[in-house]
Amino acid sequence: EFRRVLFRSVYTDTTGNIQYYNRAFAEMFGIGENGRGENLLALLPHRILREYIQTRTQIRSLKVSLEHGTHQFYGFLSCKEI
């Protein structure tokens, strides 16, 4: 069985402001070209993301469900400071 895997990537600064996101992330959550500088928590107000931004504790392959308006993501979330 062949499965298509898309990596949705977003990079933020230490306060959660978006610095970069790829096309797959933009399409998944309906972000236009002006998403850079927006706060990730304003876009996706999820408890796990809020905790990560506050504590900077690495998250590895955590199964989550994220919603933004009519856009949904169900899959694995990894977060780490780079």
Side-chain angles (χ1 to χ4, degrees), residues 12-16 39-57 59 62 64 66 77 79:
T12 68
D13 62 15
T14 57
T15 60
N39 192 277
L40 183 61
L41 292 177
L43 176 65
L44 297 168
H46 193 278
R47 176 185 57 84
I48 298 296
L49 295 174
R50 188 175 353 357
E51 287 176 10
Y52 172 73
I53 290 171
Q54 291 172 346
T55 66
R56 306 311 266 185
T57 301
I59 299 171
L62 178 68
V64 297
L66 302 172
L77 172 72
C79 300

Side-chain angles (χ1 to χ4, degrees), residues 3-78:
R3 293 184 183 186
R4 182 174 172 199
V5 177
L6 293 176
F7 290 96
R8 288 147 186 99
S9 298
V10 61
Y11 295 88
T12 68
D13 62 15
T14 57
T15 60
N17 295 321
I18 296 172
Q19 300 301 306
Y20 167 83
Y21 54 92
N22 67 4
R23 184 179 307 190
F25 184 87
E27 290 173 359
M28 171 65 69
F29 295 107
I31 301 172
E33 293 181 12
N34 299 323
R36 190 168 186 255
E38 295 292 321
N39 192 277
L40 183 61
L41 292 177
L43 176 65
L44 297 168
H46 193 278
R47 176 185 57 84
I48 298 296
L49 295 174
R50 188 175 353 357
E51 287 176 10
Y52 172 73
I53 290 171
Q54 291 172 346
T55 66
R56 306 311 266 185
T57 301
Q58 183 172 332
I59 299 171
R60 189 170 191 179
S61 298
L62 178 68
K63 192 179 344 179
V64 297
S65 176
L66 302 172
E67 297 180 19
H68 174 64
T70 60
H71 305 280
Q72 298 177 346
F73 169 78
Y74 181 74
F76 294 94
L77 172 72
S78 294

